[in-house]
Amino acid sequence: MAYITTMNRMPPTSTKSSCSASPDIRARLEFTGWLATGAHVALVITRNGQTETRLPINLSPLQALDSDTTDHWQIYRQLTGSEEQRSRMQLMEVFYEKPYSARVRDCHQSAERLVSGFNRWCAGAEMQQLVTQLRTRLSPDDRAQLLIVATDPQIEQLPWQKWTLLDDYPHIEPTFSSPQLSKCPAGDASGRERSTARILAVFGDGRNLDTTADRRALEQIVNDADRHADSGGQRAIELEFLIEPTRVELEEALHEQDWDILFFAGHSKTEADSGQIFISATEMVTIQKLWYSLQTAADRGLRLAIFNSCEGLGIAKGLNTARIPQMVIMRKAVPDLVAQKFLQYFLHGFARQGLTLAEAVRDARQRLAHLEQDHPCATWLPTLYQHPEADVLTWEQLLPARTRVEVPPRSSPEPVRSQRQSVRRVRRMQLRVMAGLIGLSLGWLLTAKLAQTVGMKAFKNEQLTLATHAFQLDAVLRPLAGEPRYNLAQIYDRRAYERNRAIELMKGAATRGFVMAYSEWARMLMDRNDEDDLEMAIAVIERGFAILATLPPETPNLDIIREGLYVQRAWWLLYNSKLDDAGRDAREVIRTYSTSAKAWCVLAKVQMAQQRKDAREAWQNVYRYADRGLKGQKNCWLEAVAYLDEHSLKSSPENSIEKNTRNP
């Protein structure tokens, strides 16, 4: 195995048309027929509007997968309406024979069964040619669109977000659309530059819900945008609330004013493919009844609709036919807490981090994983629906030009990436050609070994672009191996705007059996310094310890795996002011690895917090053993220098820094 060795770092003390030219790359899966009786799928890949691939495949009947899909969502529905899981769907009171905990267990089991069957199908002979084409045509760097269009609603119910193929494509989120749609509107038909972005937030029937969190999240992004506005006093974003409006009030608002975003929170449901929203405690309206008003809003520039409510597939299909370009919905009944957290995470990624709409949905959806113990399938619910002609959407495109803040592309190694895109595209093509030629002559495994060797050498020489390409090639050639994803994650983690991608790659390495990745995955989560990420980090660490306990003594790098897990748990305990426990874990590492600068650093901080005099010895050992070439250890080393300059040199010259060092 070859992987990048790194010690754990210290935790951190012009308006566009809404639908226009195609994004660079679109991959479209067009399903016709029925899952249970036999379907036909066509893969169509276009690049810059030109068709590169058209691959038709006939599928055998998939009765077992169809049945597992139906069974799972029926089991999932039994979780809703309970006091333990208050959802944003109006339900009649139902009494269940099983307690809630037993229903949660059943749901977890049915979800695992469905995901396993789905990925077996995707990896099977019928789909293999399709998967090969996707891997050949797409690079992990591509912000490609993966659009799924199906006549059978059951195909939309499959767990596409859990497709293992997508683990290697961090910018791609499976997106859905309806077949046979009319042309997408030109957006703001007048072509004028809007002076203010406008959001219409509709809060419907909120009984048994807490939608105040939704309101606060919307108000926060408005305040953030205003801080970047010019001094003329005009707001960057206008946010208008409609609280339990009548149908007439809602339609008048859609007809008489221009909107960029439509938001809805409250109760909703789908019946017979028809979306229904409860706009007040006494009035329900179908999307079909609002269709003309919604189409008018789309023609006047409505770009995005967010329905943070239950069973949104029927809603999305209605919005789709009204030609609204982009929609974010919840595919099934959504617990109130999950809806709140998703909106918070989504707006953070979309409005603050500069992610594209698809990236923001994917990032927010995956961050819901820490809720799945009590709310199964939380990461399955947020769904992106869009018109097939819709362009990539970013928050910057919604803001007036005077308030736009340049955000460097997250996939770029430096701010001047835009000047190098064509060069990198050529390099990627060269790598693909090279992979084919070498693979024919030397064989698949030898090619992977060569890519790994080239990547390691380039990384050591700080040739990060070459190292990235080599490790990407290694990952493509070895899709089930964890090492190439671990190595890529270490490179992306150096770039602040690629941290989320680094986390996804490190997670992919861990879930592929590369146990060393668990401690690094936890460290990256802690680096984000978010309460939810801290909770997830300790779960990752404990999972790593559980796997560690099953490893035989002859496992390669067992000592490094053990050290990493103990040190990261010590950092987590220190974060949470559990000083005695943090000190215990640090000493456990030091007993075996007396030169571990990471463990000595934790111990020194614990002893300082406890105001103990022996902190000086710990800082001296940090100074002795820290590798200043590694960012985290360099931070520890600098703290050691500061401490010893202040304490050691004044009171005990014989223990000065110069006398107690192995570093020049």
Side-chain angles (χ1 to χ4, degrees):
M1 291 187 297
Y3 54 88
I4 297 173
T5 54
T6 178
M7 310 301 273
N8 299 288
R9 291 201 308 267
M10 286 177 54
T13 46
S14 78
T15 306
K16 293 178 65 178
S17 167
S18 55
C19 299
S20 57
S22 302
D24 279 348
I25 306 171
R26 294 174 185 251
R28 179 169 169 148
L29 298 178
E30 300 174 346
F31 288 89
T32 54
W34 304 89
L35 194 64
T37 59
H40 176 88
V41 60
L43 169 65
V44 181
I45 300 177
T46 61
R47 188 182 298 268
N48 298 324
Q50 301 299 314
T51 300
E52 284 191 345
T53 300
R54 185 178 295 274
L55 175 66
I57 299 174
N58 290 317
L59 302 175
S60 304
L62 297 166
Q63 295 176 351
L65 184 59
D66 182 86
S67 177
D68 285 347
T69 303
T70 300
D71 291 346
H72 169 69
W73 290 118
Q74 287 177 346
I75 292 170
Y76 177 84
R77 191 179 178 89
Q78 292 179 13
L79 299 176
T80 61
S82 307
E83 182 64 27
E84 297 90 340
Q85 189 182 62
R86 198 169 290 164
S87 74
R88 296 192 172 191
M89 179 171 70
Q90 288 219 341
L91 293 170
M92 296 177 62
E93 187 173 9
V94 178
F95 296 96
Y96 298 104
E97 294 181 1
K98 290 185 177 181
Y100 182 73
S101 59
R103 284 179 274 143
V104 167
R105 183 177 63 251
D106 290 347
C107 193
H108 281 303
Q109 292 172 352
S110 70
E112 291 177 4
R113 188 163 53 249
L114 177 56
V115 170
S116 177
F118 172 74
N119 277 307
R120 279 199 306 273
W121 169 58
C122 290
E126 289 183 340
M127 293 286 285
Q128 192 56 51
Q129 191 177 359
L130 183 149
V131 171
T132 300
Q133 281 294 321
L134 286 170
R135 287 197 177 277
T136 301
R137 298 293 182 181
L138 302 182
S139 162
D141 275 342
D142 289 335
R143 284 177 167 79
Q145 177 198 83
L146 176 62
L147 192 66
I148 299 163
V149 183
T151 53
D152 182 4
Q154 195 78 329
I155 291 174
E156 292 180 340
Q157 307 290 355
L158 295 172
W160 292 99
Q161 292 94 335
K162 296 295 182 180
W163 192 4
T164 54
L165 172 76
L166 299 183
D167 291 344
D168 298 327
Y169 298 93
H171 300 296
I172 298 179
E173 173 71 1
T175 305
F176 299 87
S177 187
S178 302
Q180 298 177 344
L181 293 173
S182 58
K183 284 287 186 179
C184 192
D188 190 348
S190 66
R192 63 184 172 84
E193 179 79 21
R194 293 197 185 190
S195 59
T196 302
R198 308 194 72 239
I199 302 174
L200 176 62
V202 181
F203 286 81
D205 180 13
R207 286 176 296 175
N208 300 319
L209 302 179
D210 178 14
T211 56
T212 56
D214 299 52
R215 181 165 184 155
R216 286 197 300 269
L218 291 169
E219 290 172 337
Q220 183 60 52
I221 63 167
V222 172
N223 293 335
D224 288 347
D226 283 343
R227 282 199 288 271
H228 296 293
D230 59 21
S231 59
Q234 186 174 16
R235 304 206 72 174
I237 299 176
E238 290 182 8
L239 175 61
E240 182 168 325
F241 292 100
L242 285 181
I243 310 299
E244 295 201 23
T246 65
R247 176 184 170 183
V248 172
E249 291 171 335
L250 177 55
E251 290 197 285
E252 286 180 348
L254 291 171
H255 265 285
E256 296 174 4
Q257 300 184 60
D258 297 337
W259 305 104
D260 294 285
I261 298 176
L262 170 64
F263 174 84
F264 175 83
H267 290 295
S268 66
K269 63 179 180 179
T270 291
E271 285 191 0
D273 277 349
S274 175
Q276 303 174 358
I277 60 174
F278 293 81
I279 55 177
S280 70
T282 59
E283 189 173 8
M284 180 274 290
V285 64
T286 65
I287 295 299
Q288 282 73 13
K289 290 179 180 178
L290 296 173
W291 186 88
Y292 180 69
S293 299
L294 291 165
Q295 188 180 60
T296 300
D299 290 338
R300 297 179 62 164
L302 179 62
R303 307 179 184 202
L304 172 63
I306 304 169
F307 278 72
N308 205 22
S309 57
C310 290
E311 294 190 343
L313 286 176
I315 295 171
K317 289 175 181 178
L319 297 173
N320 222 191
T321 62
R323 302 188 301 167
I324 294 176
Q326 314 266 9
M327 294 139 279
V328 178
I329 53 97
M330 298 289 180
R331 71 158 78 185
K332 292 293 182 180
V334 57
D336 198 29
L337 177 62
V338 174
Q340 294 168 14
K341 287 294 185 182
F342 170 76
L343 184 63
Q344 174 189 336
Y345 298 152
F346 167 73
L347 293 176
H348 179 79
F350 189 49
R352 295 184 181 178
Q353 291 187 301
L355 306 184
T356 66
L357 179 66
E359 289 173 326
V361 170
R362 174 171 175 151
D363 180 66
R365 182 177 56 74
Q366 292 175 334
R367 290 185 67 184
L368 297 174
H370 67 98
L371 299 175
E372 289 196 317
Q373 181 175 349
D374 298 321
H375 302 289
C377 302
T379 60
W380 300 25
L381 300 178
T383 302
L384 182 59
Y385 225 89
Q386 70 175 50
H387 194 285
E389 298 175 2
D391 203 355
V392 173
L393 182 65
T394 66
W395 180 251
E396 289 293 304
Q397 294 169 358
L398 296 173
L399 294 177
R402 62 191 171 83
T403 63
R404 292 178 191 159
V405 179
E406 292 299 322
V407 179
R410 298 177 70 251
S411 62
S412 61
E414 55 231 5
V416 297
R417 159 93 191 278
S418 59
Q419 301 171 6
R420 303 184 179 179
Q421 286 179 339
S422 59
V423 175
R424 292 184 63 123
R425 193 170 292 131
V426 170
R427 287 177 180 171
R428 287 198 296 269
M429 185 60 68
Q430 290 171 339
L431 279 172
R432 294 189 186 115
V433 173
M434 182 182 72
L437 293 175
I438 298 177
L440 288 172
S441 59
L442 299 179
W444 194 267
L445 292 177
L446 188 58
T447 306
K449 182 65 177 177
L450 177 61
Q452 186 184 85
T453 302
V454 170
M456 294 302 303
K457 183 176 180 180
F459 182 83
K460 290 176 181 178
N461 293 327
E462 291 294 319
Q463 297 173 312
L464 298 186
T465 299
L466 177 59
T468 299
H469 287 312
F471 291 141
Q472 286 173 345
L473 177 60
D474 189 15
V476 170
L477 294 173
R478 297 192 296 155
L480 300 181
E483 300 100 307
R485 286 155 186 83
Y486 179 93
N487 293 336
L488 280 170
Q490 297 292 1
I491 293 175
Y492 287 124
D493 190 47
R494 293 184 170 199
R495 309 165 186 162
Y497 44 86
E498 293 279 18
R499 293 283 166 75
N500 289 339
R501 183 174 184 185
I503 289 173
E504 286 307 308
L505 285 166
M506 196 61 74
K507 176 183 175 181
T511 55
R512 283 169 170 80
F514 195 65
V515 186
M516 193 182 302
Y518 279 93
S519 60
E520 284 293 279
W521 180 11
R523 189 264 303 167
M524 291 178 181
L525 288 169
M526 287 192 287
D527 277 353
R528 292 207 292 203
N529 204 22
D530 177 87
E531 182 178 347
D532 293 327
D533 287 328
L534 290 176
E535 291 180 13
M536 190 183 299
I538 191 61
V540 169
I541 292 168
E542 294 305 329
R543 175 63 178 160
F545 272 112
I547 295 174
L548 177 65
T550 67
L551 298 179
E554 63 273 15
T555 300
N557 304 306
L558 189 63
D559 290 347
I560 297 176
I561 295 170
R562 184 173 180 272
E563 178 190 13
L565 289 170
Y566 269 106
V567 167
Q568 287 310 319
R569 188 168 68 180
W571 277 120
W572 187 90
L573 292 165
L574 183 60
Y575 258 134
N576 290 275
S577 302
K578 299 180 179 180
L579 301 180
D580 291 339
D581 292 336
R584 179 203 63 212
D585 275 5
R587 292 187 182 91
E588 179 66 25
V589 175
I590 291 168
R591 271 195 290 271
T592 309
Y593 321 104
S594 60
T595 61
S596 173
K598 301 173 294 181
W600 281 114
C601 192
V602 175
L603 186 60
K605 287 178 172 291
V606 168
Q607 292 171 344
M608 285 183 65
Q610 294 173 333
Q611 298 183 339
R612 291 173 52 175
K613 295 181 179 179
D614 51 358
R616 185 178 66 181
E617 179 186 356
W619 282 122
Q620 287 173 334
N621 285 318
V622 171
Y623 188 85
R624 285 191 184 101
Y625 305 129
D627 182 348
R628 281 175 278 172
L630 299 174
K631 181 180 176 182
Q633 292 195 47
K634 182 177 181 180
N635 291 340
C636 275
W637 183 83
L638 291 173
E639 287 193 68
V641 170
Y643 180 91
L644 295 173
D645 277 345
E646 183 177 351
H647 297 82
S648 205
L649 292 179
K650 292 180 180 178
S651 58
S652 183
E654 67 273 17
N655 290 320
S656 66
I657 293 175
E658 288 76 13
K659 190 166 183 171
N660 289 278
T661 181
R662 296 183 182 181
N663 293 328

